[in-house]
Amino acid sequence: MSKSPRKLLVTGGAGYVGSVVGAHLLAAGHRVTVLDDLSTGFRAGVPDGADFVEGRIQDAAKVLDGSYDAVLHFAASSQVGESVADPAKYWRNNVGGTLELLDAMRASGVRTLVFSSTAATYGEPASVPITEDAVTAPTNPYGATKLAVDHMISGECAAHGLAAVSLRYFNVAGAYGKYGERHHPESHLIPLVLQVAQGRRDAIAVYGDDYPTPDGTCLRDYIHVADLAEAHLLALDHAAAGEHLICNLGNGSGFSVREVIDTVRRVTGHPIPESAQPRRAGDPAVLVASAQRARDRLGWQPTRTDLAEIVRDAWNFAQSLGEDAR
Ligand SMILES: NC(=O)c1ccc[n+]([C@@H]2O[C@H](COP(=O)([O-])OP(=O)(O)OC[C@H]3O[C@@H](n4cnc5c(N)ncnc54)[C@H](O)[C@@H]3O)[C@@H](O)[C@H]2O)c1
């Protein structure tokens, strides 16, 4: 898919999204070095065929030796709840770490960056679907640090001609063969429901069933991680010197919490008991992306939009982990 093979640094390439994107980059013929401190990632997540440096983005200058063409930057602390309890960790790792990375890129002549931004930069939307022109008002330190990094990148592009694309993911889900989601603690709905099917959790909590949605539960936009990976390859090809392009990545159609639970029931054959809970503060009824800009500017076309396919891939991955998952 990609135009010419390049030498790439993938930060956070032992984590969920970075491992899947790394595998796609290698399949497209690129050379990949993963830089990851394994703080939340796993050695087994480093894609086959990639070089691996166990280290921090704060030390990227030791790796970027002038031979790299571009950086894909996934490394971050990304648990919303933890960011509320320990905001300094998030400012230090996400903002401080990225500042060091940008310095190292500039010093070693890397001119292209693809960055993992997030829907959390928008906060509670005034209207849906959410476009890139929506107000950015993050409601937690995690989203605030990601927005700060987006501002830092804009400055690099304007001042030094960096070519950068920030991809604002909505809810990433599914798996790609042996690369999948392994967060501890897990906070994402699909892997949590799958933990019930595996007997690792008694029931799935449903926070509020009286929202103004068709079945009363919240609607979220789930995007298959392999579709997301393809957007990164396109972003590499479309990044333009001096421009900071920001694109949302989502399906554009939401699935409700209840639809997710029902789909897991069908895919796994498990009854999945529910536990009704009150609404959580700050949980909007609907969070759905407009990914029109990614379609127009990158030529991106998600193809794995069927919720059952997303759940099936995640289920196969969760089962493949066996005892390792615990
Ligand atoms: N998973 C989602 O639904 C989602 C949604 C929106 C945005 N994102 C963003 O995508 C990126 C990847 O998310 P993920 O779900 O794969 O998370 P993850 O925790 O699985 O992966 C992050 C990786 O970065 C590494 N890391 C963290 N800090 C580091 C540092 N200072 N130096 C080197 N390595 C470091 C971790 O060890 C881990 O392997 C993150 O930036 C996250 O904010 C994810």
Side-chain angles (χ1 to χ4, degrees), residues 11-19 34-42 53-59 73-79 92-94 97-98 115-120 142 146 167-173 180-184 188 223 228 232:
T11 76
Y16 171 39
V17 181
S19 65
V34 165
L35 173 64
D36 196 302
D37 65 2
L38 302 183
S39 51
T40 57
F42 298 86
V53 178
E54 185 172 343
R56 307 176 71 218
I57 51 172
Q58 287 80 348
D59 298 320
H73 179 32
F74 302 91
S77 301
S78 61
Q79 296 278 346
R92 196 170 292 116
N93 199 37
N94 296 354
T98 304
F115 171 61
S116 302
S117 189
T118 166
Y142 165 63
K146 286 282 178 172
L167 299 172
R168 289 190 172 156
Y169 317 158
F170 281 60
N171 295 276
V172 189
E181 192 163 11
R182 256 176 110 173
H183 297 123
H184 296 291
H188 296 130
I223 172 172
L228 193 82
H232 288 72

Side-chain angles (χ1 to χ4, degrees), residues 194-245:
L194 291 175
Q195 287 181 4
V196 180
Q198 288 183 307
R200 297 171 55 205
R201 177 177 293 274
D202 293 335
I204 188 72
V206 176
Y207 296 98
D209 57 6
D210 56 353
Y211 283 95
T213 59
D215 66 20
T217 64
C218 288
L219 281 171
R220 294 290 180 268
D221 191 329
Y222 296 92
I223 172 172
H224 196 293
V225 67
D227 281 336
L228 193 82
E230 281 160 14
H232 288 72
L233 274 74
L234 292 165
L236 262 187
D237 285 342
H238 287 81
E243 183 188 27
H244 182 200
L245 176 63

Side-chain angles (χ1 to χ4, degrees), residues 299-323:
W300 180 64
Q301 186 61 54
T303 58
R304 301 160 186 88
T305 53
D306 174 31
L307 184 59
E309 180 180 355
I310 292 173
V311 167
R312 207 176 303 114
D313 288 350
W315 177 232
N316 289 339
F317 174 75
Q319 285 186 300
S320 76
L321 285 181
E323 286 302 310

Side-chain angles (χ1 to χ4, degrees), residues 140-160:
N140 53 65
Y142 165 63
T145 61
K146 286 282 178 172
L147 181 60
V149 171
D150 273 337
H151 287 308
M152 280 164 42
I153 294 171
S154 294
E156 275 309 292
C157 295
H160 304 297

